[in-house]
mmCIF file of all heavy atoms in Angstrom:
data_model
loop_
_atom_site.group_PDB
_atom_site.id
_atom_site.type_symbol
_atom_site.label_atom_id
_atom_site.label_comp_id
_atom_site.label_asym_id
_atom_site.label_seq_id
_atom_site.Cartn_x
_atom_site.Cartn_y
_atom_site.Cartn_z
ATOM 1 N N SER A 38 14.149 39.207 -74.050
ATOM 2 C CA SER A 38 14.927 40.451 -74.192
ATOM 3 C C SER A 38 14.177 41.702 -73.743
ATOM 4 O O SER A 38 14.808 42.721 -73.487
ATOM 5 C CB SER A 38 15.347 40.638 -75.656
ATOM 6 O OG SER A 38 14.214 40.994 -76.443
ATOM 7 N N GLY A 39 12.857 41.658 -73.722
ATOM 8 C CA GLY A 39 12.085 42.858 -73.386
ATOM 9 C C GLY A 39 11.764 43.732 -74.589
ATOM 10 O O GLY A 39 11.035 44.715 -74.472
ATOM 11 N N MET A 257 28.701 45.172 -65.193
ATOM 12 C CA MET A 257 27.919 46.381 -64.904
ATOM 13 C C MET A 257 27.687 46.542 -63.406
ATOM 14 O O MET A 257 27.727 47.658 -62.875
ATOM 15 C CB MET A 257 26.598 46.379 -65.690
ATOM 16 C CG MET A 257 26.844 46.759 -67.145
ATOM 17 S SD MET A 257 25.463 46.458 -68.278
ATOM 18 C CE MET A 257 24.133 47.329 -67.553
ATOM 19 N N LEU A 277 18.753 59.009 -60.580
ATOM 20 C CA LEU A 277 18.396 58.229 -61.765
ATOM 21 C C LEU A 277 19.552 57.309 -62.135
ATOM 22 O O LEU A 277 20.717 57.688 -61.967
ATOM 23 C CB LEU A 277 18.163 59.226 -62.915
ATOM 24 C CG LEU A 277 17.173 58.906 -64.010
ATOM 25 C CD1 LEU A 277 15.808 58.529 -63.433
ATOM 26 C CD2 LEU A 277 17.048 60.115 -64.945
ATOM 27 N N VAL A 278 19.210 56.125 -62.659
ATOM 28 C CA VAL A 278 20.235 55.208 -63.170
ATOM 29 C C VAL A 278 19.848 54.872 -64.608
ATOM 30 O O VAL A 278 18.751 54.362 -64.861
ATOM 31 C CB VAL A 278 20.299 53.920 -62.311
ATOM 32 C CG1 VAL A 278 21.351 52.962 -62.877
ATOM 33 C CG2 VAL A 278 20.611 54.267 -60.858
ATOM 34 N N LEU A 279 20.724 55.204 -65.546
ATOM 35 C CA LEU A 279 20.455 54.929 -66.960
ATOM 36 C C LEU A 279 21.423 53.847 -67.416
ATOM 37 O O LEU A 279 22.638 54.055 -67.462
ATOM 38 C CB LEU A 279 20.624 56.200 -67.804
ATOM 39 C CG LEU A 279 19.778 57.412 -67.372
ATOM 40 C CD1 LEU A 279 20.007 58.596 -68.310
ATOM 41 C CD2 LEU A 279 18.291 57.065 -67.318
ATOM 42 N N MET A 280 20.859 52.685 -67.738
ATOM 43 C CA MET A 280 21.693 51.548 -68.136
ATOM 44 C C MET A 280 21.591 51.325 -69.636
ATOM 45 O O MET A 280 20.528 51.528 -70.232
ATOM 46 C CB MET A 280 21.219 50.284 -67.421
ATOM 47 C CG MET A 280 21.477 50.307 -65.930
ATOM 48 S SD MET A 280 21.078 48.709 -65.203
ATOM 49 C CE MET A 280 19.516 49.098 -64.454
ATOM 50 N N HIS A 281 22.675 50.843 -70.225
ATOM 51 C CA HIS A 281 22.651 50.453 -71.628
ATOM 52 C C HIS A 281 21.488 49.480 -71.857
ATOM 53 O O HIS A 281 21.225 48.612 -71.022
ATOM 54 C CB HIS A 281 23.988 49.796 -71.989
ATOM 55 C CG HIS A 281 23.991 49.181 -73.343
ATOM 56 N ND1 HIS A 281 23.658 49.885 -74.467
ATOM 57 C CD2 HIS A 281 24.266 47.915 -73.759
ATOM 58 C CE1 HIS A 281 23.729 49.084 -75.519
ATOM 59 N NE2 HIS A 281 24.092 47.890 -75.119
ATOM 60 N N GLN A 282 20.819 49.625 -72.989
ATOM 61 C CA GLN A 282 19.619 48.834 -73.261
ATOM 62 C C GLN A 282 19.942 47.676 -74.215
ATOM 63 O O GLN A 282 19.743 47.779 -75.432
ATOM 64 C CB GLN A 282 18.521 49.719 -73.866
ATOM 65 C CG GLN A 282 18.185 50.955 -73.032
ATOM 66 C CD GLN A 282 17.390 50.629 -71.784
ATOM 67 O OE1 GLN A 282 16.263 50.173 -71.864
ATOM 68 N NE2 GLN A 282 17.990 50.856 -70.629
ATOM 69 N N ALA A 283 20.503 46.597 -73.662
ATOM 70 C CA ALA A 283 20.817 45.442 -74.515
ATOM 71 C C ALA A 283 19.791 44.341 -74.310
ATOM 72 O O ALA A 283 19.447 43.609 -75.237
ATOM 73 C CB ALA A 283 22.207 44.914 -74.200
ATOM 74 N N ASN A 284 19.348 44.211 -73.061
ATOM 75 C CA ASN A 284 18.389 43.177 -72.712
ATOM 76 C C ASN A 284 17.778 43.589 -71.382
ATOM 77 O O ASN A 284 18.506 43.853 -70.429
ATOM 78 C CB ASN A 284 19.115 41.824 -72.594
ATOM 79 C CG ASN A 284 18.150 40.687 -72.332
ATOM 80 O OD1 ASN A 284 17.187 40.825 -71.577
ATOM 81 N ND2 ASN A 284 18.394 39.562 -72.958
ATOM 82 N N LYS A 285 16.463 43.633 -71.351
ATOM 83 C CA LYS A 285 15.801 44.107 -70.122
ATOM 84 C C LYS A 285 16.134 43.198 -68.928
ATOM 85 O O LYS A 285 16.263 43.660 -67.804
ATOM 86 C CB LYS A 285 14.282 44.162 -70.339
ATOM 87 C CG LYS A 285 13.613 45.117 -69.387
ATOM 88 C CD LYS A 285 12.196 45.401 -69.796
ATOM 89 C CE LYS A 285 11.562 46.425 -68.885
ATOM 90 N NZ LYS A 285 10.182 46.690 -69.264
ATOM 91 N N ARG A 286 16.332 41.907 -69.225
ATOM 92 C CA ARG A 286 16.640 40.966 -68.138
ATOM 93 C C ARG A 286 18.011 41.263 -67.527
ATOM 94 O O ARG A 286 18.205 41.101 -66.329
ATOM 95 C CB ARG A 286 16.597 39.524 -68.651
ATOM 96 C CG ARG A 286 15.177 39.017 -68.873
ATOM 97 C CD ARG A 286 15.183 37.524 -69.119
ATOM 98 N NE ARG A 286 15.938 37.192 -70.313
ATOM 99 C CZ ARG A 286 16.761 36.157 -70.435
ATOM 100 N NH1 ARG A 286 16.963 35.330 -69.429
ATOM 101 N NH2 ARG A 286 17.390 35.928 -71.569
ATOM 102 N N ILE A 287 18.978 41.682 -68.370
ATOM 103 C CA ILE A 287 20.309 42.045 -67.860
ATOM 104 C C ILE A 287 20.144 43.200 -66.874
ATOM 105 O O ILE A 287 20.677 43.175 -65.763
ATOM 106 C CB ILE A 287 21.260 42.489 -69.011
ATOM 107 C CG1 ILE A 287 21.592 41.310 -69.920
ATOM 108 C CG2 ILE A 287 22.532 43.156 -68.458
ATOM 109 C CD1 ILE A 287 22.502 41.661 -71.107
ATOM 110 N N ASN A 288 19.369 44.196 -67.282
ATOM 111 C CA ASN A 288 19.227 45.395 -66.449
ATOM 112 C C ASN A 288 18.440 45.117 -65.169
ATOM 113 O O ASN A 288 18.762 45.655 -64.111
ATOM 114 C CB ASN A 288 18.584 46.522 -67.258
ATOM 115 C CG ASN A 288 19.516 47.007 -68.353
ATOM 116 O OD1 ASN A 288 20.635 46.512 -68.487
ATOM 117 N ND2 ASN A 288 19.081 47.969 -69.138
ATOM 118 N N GLU A 289 17.433 44.269 -65.285
ATOM 119 C CA GLU A 289 16.653 43.935 -64.076
ATOM 120 C C GLU A 289 17.528 43.193 -63.069
ATOM 121 O O GLU A 289 17.454 43.422 -61.866
ATOM 122 C CB GLU A 289 15.418 43.107 -64.458
ATOM 123 C CG GLU A 289 14.349 43.985 -65.095
ATOM 124 C CD GLU A 289 13.214 43.209 -65.749
ATOM 125 O OE1 GLU A 289 13.306 41.969 -65.880
ATOM 126 O OE2 GLU A 289 12.228 43.857 -66.165
ATOM 127 N N TYR A 290 18.386 42.327 -63.608
ATOM 128 C CA TYR A 290 19.297 41.574 -62.740
ATOM 129 C C TYR A 290 20.254 42.540 -62.018
ATOM 130 O O TYR A 290 20.448 42.451 -60.810
ATOM 131 C CB TYR A 290 20.080 40.568 -63.596
ATOM 132 C CG TYR A 290 20.946 39.636 -62.797
ATOM 133 C CD1 TYR A 290 20.471 38.402 -62.358
ATOM 134 C CD2 TYR A 290 22.259 39.983 -62.466
ATOM 135 C CE1 TYR A 290 21.266 37.549 -61.600
ATOM 136 C CE2 TYR A 290 23.066 39.144 -61.712
ATOM 137 C CZ TYR A 290 22.561 37.926 -61.289
ATOM 138 O OH TYR A 290 23.353 37.085 -60.551
ATOM 139 N N CYS A 291 20.834 43.475 -62.781
ATOM 140 C CA CYS A 291 21.782 44.442 -62.200
ATOM 141 C C CYS A 291 21.073 45.328 -61.181
ATOM 142 O O CYS A 291 21.599 45.599 -60.095
ATOM 143 C CB CYS A 291 22.394 45.342 -63.287
ATOM 144 S SG CYS A 291 23.437 44.448 -64.437
ATOM 145 N N GLN A 292 19.884 45.776 -61.541
ATOM 146 C CA GLN A 292 19.112 46.668 -60.647
ATOM 147 C C GLN A 292 18.865 45.990 -59.305
ATOM 148 O O GLN A 292 19.050 46.589 -58.243
ATOM 149 C CB GLN A 292 17.780 47.008 -61.325
ATOM 150 C CG GLN A 292 16.923 47.939 -60.514
ATOM 151 C CD GLN A 292 15.521 48.125 -61.113
ATOM 152 O OE1 GLN A 292 15.301 47.863 -62.299
ATOM 153 N NE2 GLN A 292 14.596 48.573 -60.301
ATOM 154 N N ILE A 297 18.529 48.961 -56.471
ATOM 155 C CA ILE A 297 18.021 50.252 -56.973
ATOM 156 C C ILE A 297 16.498 50.148 -57.133
ATOM 157 O O ILE A 297 16.004 49.234 -57.807
ATOM 158 C CB ILE A 297 18.656 50.611 -58.342
ATOM 159 C CG1 ILE A 297 20.186 50.539 -58.251
ATOM 160 C CG2 ILE A 297 18.214 51.995 -58.806
ATOM 161 C CD1 ILE A 297 20.867 50.552 -59.606
ATOM 162 N N PRO A 298 15.740 51.083 -56.549
ATOM 163 C CA PRO A 298 14.280 51.005 -56.704
ATOM 164 C C PRO A 298 13.836 51.279 -58.148
ATOM 165 O O PRO A 298 14.512 52.012 -58.878
ATOM 166 C CB PRO A 298 13.756 52.091 -55.757
ATOM 167 C CG PRO A 298 14.918 52.964 -55.438
ATOM 168 C CD PRO A 298 16.179 52.195 -55.692
ATOM 169 N N ASP A 299 12.688 50.710 -58.535
ATOM 170 C CA ASP A 299 12.151 50.879 -59.897
ATOM 171 C C ASP A 299 12.020 52.349 -60.272
ATOM 172 O O ASP A 299 12.222 52.726 -61.427
ATOM 173 C CB ASP A 299 10.751 50.251 -60.003
ATOM 174 C CG ASP A 299 10.814 48.738 -60.024
ATOM 175 O OD1 ASP A 299 11.938 48.190 -60.164
ATOM 176 O OD2 ASP A 299 9.749 48.116 -59.871
ATOM 177 N N SER A 300 11.673 53.180 -59.288
ATOM 178 C CA SER A 300 11.406 54.593 -59.583
ATOM 179 C C SER A 300 12.638 55.334 -60.106
ATOM 180 O O SER A 300 12.516 56.404 -60.677
ATOM 181 C CB SER A 300 10.903 55.282 -58.309
ATOM 182 O OG SER A 300 11.888 55.161 -57.293
ATOM 183 N N LYS A 301 13.823 54.739 -59.908
ATOM 184 C CA LYS A 301 15.045 55.431 -60.331
ATOM 185 C C LYS A 301 15.621 54.881 -61.633
ATOM 186 O O LYS A 301 16.699 55.296 -62.068
ATOM 187 C CB LYS A 301 16.107 55.318 -59.227
ATOM 188 C CG LYS A 301 15.730 56.086 -57.986
ATOM 189 C CD LYS A 301 16.855 56.171 -56.994
ATOM 190 C CE LYS A 301 16.370 56.991 -55.797
ATOM 191 N NZ LYS A 301 17.423 57.197 -54.818
ATOM 192 N N VAL A 302 14.938 53.904 -62.239
ATOM 193 C CA VAL A 302 15.482 53.275 -63.447
ATOM 194 C C VAL A 302 14.538 53.502 -64.621
ATOM 195 O O VAL A 302 13.338 53.272 -64.495
ATOM 196 C CB VAL A 302 15.682 51.759 -63.226
ATOM 197 C CG1 VAL A 302 16.240 51.101 -64.481
ATOM 198 C CG2 VAL A 302 16.622 51.511 -62.051
ATOM 199 N N LEU A 303 15.088 53.961 -65.737
ATOM 200 C CA LEU A 303 14.268 54.129 -66.951
ATOM 201 C C LEU A 303 14.690 53.098 -67.996
ATOM 202 O O LEU A 303 15.875 52.824 -68.151
ATOM 203 C CB LEU A 303 14.449 55.530 -67.531
ATOM 204 C CG LEU A 303 14.046 56.711 -66.657
ATOM 205 C CD1 LEU A 303 14.258 58.022 -67.397
ATOM 206 C CD2 LEU A 303 12.586 56.581 -66.223
ATOM 207 N N HIS A 304 13.703 52.550 -68.702
ATOM 208 C CA HIS A 304 13.980 51.623 -69.800
ATOM 209 C C HIS A 304 13.303 52.174 -71.049
ATOM 210 O O HIS A 304 12.240 52.786 -70.957
ATOM 211 C CB HIS A 304 13.342 50.255 -69.557
ATOM 212 C CG HIS A 304 13.808 49.574 -68.315
ATOM 213 N ND1 HIS A 304 15.015 48.933 -68.244
ATOM 214 C CD2 HIS A 304 13.224 49.414 -67.100
ATOM 215 C CE1 HIS A 304 15.158 48.411 -67.031
ATOM 216 N NE2 HIS A 304 14.082 48.696 -66.318
ATOM 217 N N ASN A 305 13.874 51.919 -72.216
ATOM 218 C CA ASN A 305 13.121 52.156 -73.455
ATOM 219 C C ASN A 305 13.395 51.061 -74.481
ATOM 220 O O ASN A 305 13.037 51.196 -75.648
ATOM 221 C CB ASN A 305 13.370 53.568 -74.029
ATOM 222 C CG ASN A 305 14.831 53.829 -74.323
ATOM 223 O OD1 ASN A 305 15.628 52.905 -74.410
ATOM 224 N ND2 ASN A 305 15.181 55.096 -74.510
ATOM 225 N N ILE A 306 14.015 49.964 -74.020
ATOM 226 C CA ILE A 306 14.354 48.865 -74.930
ATOM 227 C C ILE A 306 13.100 48.300 -75.589
ATOM 228 O O ILE A 306 13.130 47.856 -76.730
ATOM 229 C CB ILE A 306 15.141 47.755 -74.198
ATOM 230 C CG1 ILE A 306 15.699 46.755 -75.212
ATOM 231 C CG2 ILE A 306 14.327 47.079 -73.102
ATOM 232 C CD1 ILE A 306 16.707 45.782 -74.682
ATOM 233 N N GLU A 307 11.950 48.361 -74.875
ATOM 234 C CA GLU A 307 10.722 47.795 -75.460
ATOM 235 C C GLU A 307 10.337 48.526 -76.742
ATOM 236 O O GLU A 307 9.814 47.934 -77.667
ATOM 237 C CB GLU A 307 9.572 47.779 -74.442
ATOM 238 C CG GLU A 307 9.193 49.112 -73.821
ATOM 239 C CD GLU A 307 10.104 49.569 -72.674
ATOM 240 O OE1 GLU A 307 11.088 48.874 -72.373
ATOM 241 O OE2 GLU A 307 9.827 50.641 -72.107
ATOM 242 N N ARG A 308 10.669 49.817 -76.846
ATOM 243 C CA ARG A 308 10.269 50.604 -78.025
ATOM 244 C C ARG A 308 11.323 50.650 -79.124
ATOM 245 O O ARG A 308 11.009 50.784 -80.295
ATOM 246 C CB ARG A 308 9.953 52.048 -77.610
ATOM 247 C CG ARG A 308 8.596 52.190 -76.965
ATOM 248 C CD ARG A 308 8.405 53.588 -76.431
ATOM 249 N NE ARG A 308 9.168 53.789 -75.212
ATOM 250 C CZ ARG A 308 9.775 54.918 -74.877
ATOM 251 N NH1 ARG A 308 9.727 55.961 -75.673
ATOM 252 N NH2 ARG A 308 10.442 55.010 -73.754
ATOM 253 N N TYR A 309 12.599 50.592 -78.725
ATOM 254 C CA TYR A 309 13.677 50.821 -79.704
ATOM 255 C C TYR A 309 14.645 49.664 -79.876
ATOM 256 O O TYR A 309 15.501 49.718 -80.763
ATOM 257 C CB TYR A 309 14.496 52.054 -79.302
ATOM 258 C CG TYR A 309 13.668 53.280 -79.036
ATOM 259 C CD1 TYR A 309 13.814 54.006 -77.861
ATOM 260 C CD2 TYR A 309 12.720 53.715 -79.970
ATOM 261 C CE1 TYR A 309 13.053 55.138 -77.614
ATOM 262 C CE2 TYR A 309 11.955 54.837 -79.717
ATOM 263 C CZ TYR A 309 12.122 55.541 -78.546
ATOM 264 O OH TYR A 309 11.357 56.652 -78.300
ATOM 265 N N GLY A 310 14.607 48.647 -79.024
ATOM 266 C CA GLY A 310 15.627 47.599 -79.048
ATOM 267 C C GLY A 310 16.971 48.159 -78.608
ATOM 268 O O GLY A 310 17.050 49.233 -77.997
ATOM 269 N N THR A 316 22.007 54.236 -77.003
ATOM 270 C CA THR A 316 21.028 53.913 -75.946
ATOM 271 C C THR A 316 21.045 54.918 -74.793
ATOM 272 O O THR A 316 19.990 55.391 -74.373
ATOM 273 C CB THR A 316 21.245 52.496 -75.351
ATOM 274 O OG1 THR A 316 22.566 52.402 -74.822
ATOM 275 C CG2 THR A 316 20.998 51.409 -76.358
ATOM 276 N N LEU A 319 19.966 58.508 -75.694
ATOM 277 C CA LEU A 319 18.530 58.466 -76.011
ATOM 278 C C LEU A 319 17.702 58.445 -74.720
ATOM 279 O O LEU A 319 16.717 59.186 -74.576
ATOM 280 C CB LEU A 319 18.263 57.206 -76.849
ATOM 281 C CG LEU A 319 16.922 57.003 -77.499
ATOM 282 C CD1 LEU A 319 16.523 58.203 -78.331
ATOM 283 C CD2 LEU A 319 16.963 55.746 -78.398
ATOM 284 N N LEU A 320 18.137 57.631 -73.772
ATOM 285 C CA LEU A 320 17.452 57.604 -72.469
ATOM 286 C C LEU A 320 17.569 58.961 -71.786
ATOM 287 O O LEU A 320 16.611 59.461 -71.206
ATOM 288 C CB LEU A 320 18.112 56.566 -71.547
ATOM 289 C CG LEU A 320 17.653 55.128 -71.622
ATOM 290 C CD1 LEU A 320 18.519 54.279 -70.695
ATOM 291 C CD2 LEU A 320 16.191 54.977 -71.227
ATOM 292 N N GLU A 323 15.197 61.442 -73.405
ATOM 293 C CA GLU A 323 13.803 61.210 -73.002
ATOM 294 C C GLU A 323 13.571 61.672 -71.573
ATOM 295 O O GLU A 323 12.549 62.289 -71.263
ATOM 296 C CB GLU A 323 13.447 59.727 -73.140
ATOM 297 C CG GLU A 323 13.348 59.286 -74.593
ATOM 298 C CD GLU A 323 12.692 57.929 -74.757
ATOM 299 O OE1 GLU A 323 12.730 57.107 -73.816
ATOM 300 O OE2 GLU A 323 12.148 57.681 -75.835
ATOM 301 N N ALA A 324 14.549 61.375 -70.706
ATOM 302 C CA ALA A 324 14.410 61.759 -69.295
ATOM 303 C C ALA A 324 14.413 63.283 -69.158
ATOM 304 O O ALA A 324 13.598 63.857 -68.431
ATOM 305 C CB ALA A 324 15.549 61.146 -68.482
ATOM 306 N N ARG A 329 12.688 64.612 -65.964
ATOM 307 C CA ARG A 329 13.257 63.681 -64.979
ATOM 308 C C ARG A 329 14.722 63.965 -64.659
ATOM 309 O O ARG A 329 15.334 63.259 -63.858
ATOM 310 C CB ARG A 329 13.140 62.231 -65.509
ATOM 311 C CG ARG A 329 11.742 61.676 -65.546
ATOM 312 C CD ARG A 329 11.152 61.400 -64.158
ATOM 313 N NE ARG A 329 11.987 60.631 -63.272
ATOM 314 C CZ ARG A 329 11.976 59.308 -63.176
ATOM 315 N NH1 ARG A 329 11.147 58.615 -63.925
ATOM 316 N NH2 ARG A 329 12.771 58.679 -62.326
#
Side-chain angles (χ1 to χ4, degrees):
S38 72
M257 283 167 55
L277 210 53
V278 179
L279 304 182
M280 291 187 257
H281 171 55
Q282 306 286 295
N284 184 321
K285 203 167 184 181
R286 285 191 298 139
I287 292 179
N288 292 359
E289 285 169 351
Y290 186 92
C291 294
Q292 181 188 340
I297 307 166
D299 286 349
S300 59
K301 292 190 179 184
V302 180
L303 299 181
H304 300 282
N305 58 17
I306 190 168
E307 57 280 3
R308 282 173 285 144
Y309 308 129
T316 58
L319 189 53
L320 274 176
E323 289 193 335
R329 289 290 310 270

